[in-house]
Amino acid sequence: MRKLKIGIACYPTYGGSGVLATELGLALARHGHEVHLFSYARPTRLASYHQGIEFHNVTVSSYPLFQYPPYDLALASVMRQVMCERSLDVLHVHYAVPHAICAYVAREMNTHCDTKIITTLHGTDITILGRDPNYRDVIPFGLEKSDAVVSVSHWLAEQTREVFDYTGPIDVLPNFVDQDLFKPRADDVVRRELGGEDHALLVHMSNFRSLKRVGDTVEVLHRLRSERPVRLLLVGDGPDQCLVRELATRLGVLDQVRFLGEIDNVASIVAAADVALFPSESESFGLAPLEAMACGVPVVTTNVGGLPEVVVHGESGFLHDVGDTDGMAADVDLLLDDPARRDAMGRAGVRRVTEEFSLVRSLRQHEELYTRVLADDP
Ligand code: GMT
């Protein structure tokens, strides 16, 4: 395919949509496309210089009248400028609010510019903001003005139709993972450092929002029956951190929990673990479970949202009802006491990632989508 000029807008924060948008941008740049990334801060995965990718930092001016400085207008303005100066072929925005509307406004301001707009929906932009009276009219407007709408799972595509009565086409392009980064552990150094020589290691990573139910990982730890000493590694940070710490103290398991915070070397920590725990009450896809699978670590999670599209129950992990910490604990015990089963599940996870969720596959799917949208001239 011809090399394209592609704009990508995303949140820069420690979260799935920003990580995926940045990884996609990096992969497209490595494939020879010219990539322009828009955000209000440098995304975590774009810490260093990368050839072929230019970062456009959107700054918001303060003004005495502004109780809420209008980031949306500043973003639309930077998008308009880059769209025009660089003749972008595609502007691919991640997370509908406010990015889809900003992209539309930017294109409307450039009367002679025919940049195609693609909006990828990631989850709460539909499931929470889509039901919020402050946003529920503006989101479908953004989708209708996009040249293509992408969802990260079939479940989220269904939700989008249901929440907005949306009848337009939706492409499902699932989350992906870079298997050069997330892979089964090659040595035991990190595992030893984490105490894995004489402990079984459980891992969870998230932004500690209430819907992640991080407290359930502590409940599971408390309910384990296995003879082996166990440690729970908690990666990430967020609003529920204190509650989780309090719960661990109350249940008498604080000594077994390590709060690792927001760290860079997530892949090596996850790969060092025996089992990964994700008790979310809602998840449009579940990037973190996917990363654990890529590391060959079996996943114990919930049967909600897009998670059953990621984890095959009994094959690459186990799915439970939300809050079923007894059931989750029983499966963790089973995996800790049966290394052969654990390894087989880990291998099945890696296979599934390679076949369905690889970076290479996703890059091809995205390039095909861009080509199709560019060919769809009215
Ligand atoms: O929707 C969110 O909560 C934010 C978003 C993010 O930026 O992390 O997470 C969503 O997008 C990820 C990437 O597509 C998905 O893997 C997560 O499942 C999804 N989170 C939820 O649906 C809660």
Side-chain angles (χ1 to χ4, degrees), residues 115-142:
T115 303
K116 301 294 181 187
I117 297 172
I118 298 177
T119 299
T120 290
L121 310 171
H122 281 273
T124 47
D125 43 358
I126 300 303
T127 56
I128 294 182
L129 301 179
R131 293 190 166 94
D132 182 328
N134 289 316
Y135 305 109
R136 71 174 171 223
D137 293 335
V138 83
I139 297 172
F141 176 77

Side-chain angles (χ1 to χ4, degrees), residues 166-194:
Y166 181 75
T167 52
I170 302 179
D171 287 273
V172 175
L173 299 191
N175 285 185
F176 57 87
V177 60
D178 182 348
Q179 290 174 282
D180 287 335
L181 208 62
F182 287 86
K183 54 188 174 195
R185 71 170 177 273
D187 63 58
D188 282 333
V189 179
V190 179
R191 186 173 166 89
R192 260 199 310 277
E193 285 170 4
L194 293 165

